[in-house]
Amino acid sequence: MTTSSPSSAAGEPGPAPVDVVLPCLDEAEALPWVLERVPPGWRALVVDNGSTDGSADLARRLGATVVREERRGFGAACAAGLTAATADVVCFCDCDASLDPRDLIPFVDRVRAGQADLVLGRRRPQGRGAWPAHARAGNLALARLLRRRTGLRLHDLGPLRAARREPLLALGLTDRRSGYPLQMVVRAADAGWRIDEYDVPYRPRSGASKVTGTWRGTWQAVRDMSRVLAEREVPSV
């Protein structure tokens, strides 16, 4: 993996053109595969959310920038990564080897070209066990609720996504649990963003899911996201 930043005129490292936020909780098994696939020149921001398996140290050895976030929660990790990012374009990707960071390249190209403000990955399962039935059912239910709330005809609320950093920060996302990805889409839609969806391969993850590995975890996530959908639209100024 190449994580070095381009040099400035003064010879000092400049900011990476793209930052990839990778929320991480005990993903030592998957990290080598994931970090190897971060496109050359992009910076991997591994947000350690309390790992006990040496994930943070391993990520550093593999060349990633490690951000610590003590508050547990997927949204807390994503928010910490976005705050630490300095690139114009920021991507998000799970750190469990279910998604390939290289699939973000066309997402970034579309954002940079001004053709979309937010690009999402529509997960296409590869092999048995890639997407358990309970997780898929919860995702489908939320996609339908999102359509009613925003009119967006999206099929998936997956974690693979890309957008510009400053507009993302301006959305003022507050959810620090499972509702963070949905809140990003809802507030972007309310702000009139152009939102695109791309098919991406979805592989069986490494290790057990912290969110949707069980029916209980899935419906806890659905409950978190239902609260996001109940937010009232904030009128644009």
Side-chain angles (χ1 to χ4, degrees), residues 149 175 179-180 182-183 186 224-231:
R149 167 67 172 76
D175 193 281
Y180 184 92
L182 178 61
Q183 188 179 51
V186 169
D224 288 346
M225 295 183 184
S226 296
R227 286 197 294 267
V228 171
L229 289 167
E231 288 183 356

Side-chain angles (χ1 to χ4, degrees), residues 84-101:
T86 57
D88 177 44
V89 178
V90 177
C91 299
F92 296 84
C93 180
D94 274 355
C95 204
D96 58 12
S98 61
L99 295 162
D100 190 333

Side-chain angles (χ1 to χ4, degrees), residues 60-85:
R60 289 190 189 94
R61 291 198 301 270
L62 293 172
T65 297
V66 175
V67 178
R68 291 189 61 83
E69 175 51 61
E70 300 297 337
R71 181 177 177 180
R72 284 291 182 92
F74 183 77
C78 289
L82 178 59
T83 300

Side-chain angles (χ1 to χ4, degrees), residues 114-119 146 149-152 154 163 167-168 170-171 183-196 233-237:
Q115 298 169 331
D117 301 307
L118 174 63
V119 183
L146 177 68
R149 167 67 172 76
T150 66
L152 292 173
L154 297 175
L168 277 175
L171 291 177
Q183 188 179 51
M184 182 187 296
V185 176
V186 169
R187 293 200 176 181
D190 288 349
W193 287 25
R194 295 160 300 169
I195 302 175
D196 281 354
E233 181 176 348
V234 178
S236 57
V237 179

Side-chain angles (χ1 to χ4, degrees), residues 10 19 22 38 47 61 68-69 93 104 127-129 134-135 137-138 151 155 158 162-163 173 189 197 208 212 222:
D19 280 330
L22 297 158
V38 173
V47 184
R61 291 198 301 270
R68 291 189 61 83
E69 175 51 61
C93 180
L104 286 163
R128 295 183 62 184
H134 56 272
H155 302 85
L173 304 181
E197 189 176 61
T212 58
V222 169

Side-chain angles (χ1 to χ4, degrees), residues 103-133:
D103 290 330
L104 286 163
I105 293 173
F107 292 30
V108 171
D109 290 344
R110 194 157 180 81
V111 170
R112 281 176 166 166
Q115 298 169 331
D117 301 307
L118 174 63
V119 183
L120 309 172
R122 180 184 183 184
R123 291 169 289 183
R124 295 295 195 175
Q126 308 292 303
R128 295 183 62 184
W131 202 353

Side-chain angles (χ1 to χ4, degrees), residues 137-154:
N139 186 76
L140 179 61
L142 286 167
R144 289 174 174 168
L145 291 172
L146 177 68
R147 186 173 302 176
R148 293 178 191 169
R149 167 67 172 76
T150 66
L152 292 173
R153 301 188 66 81
L154 297 175

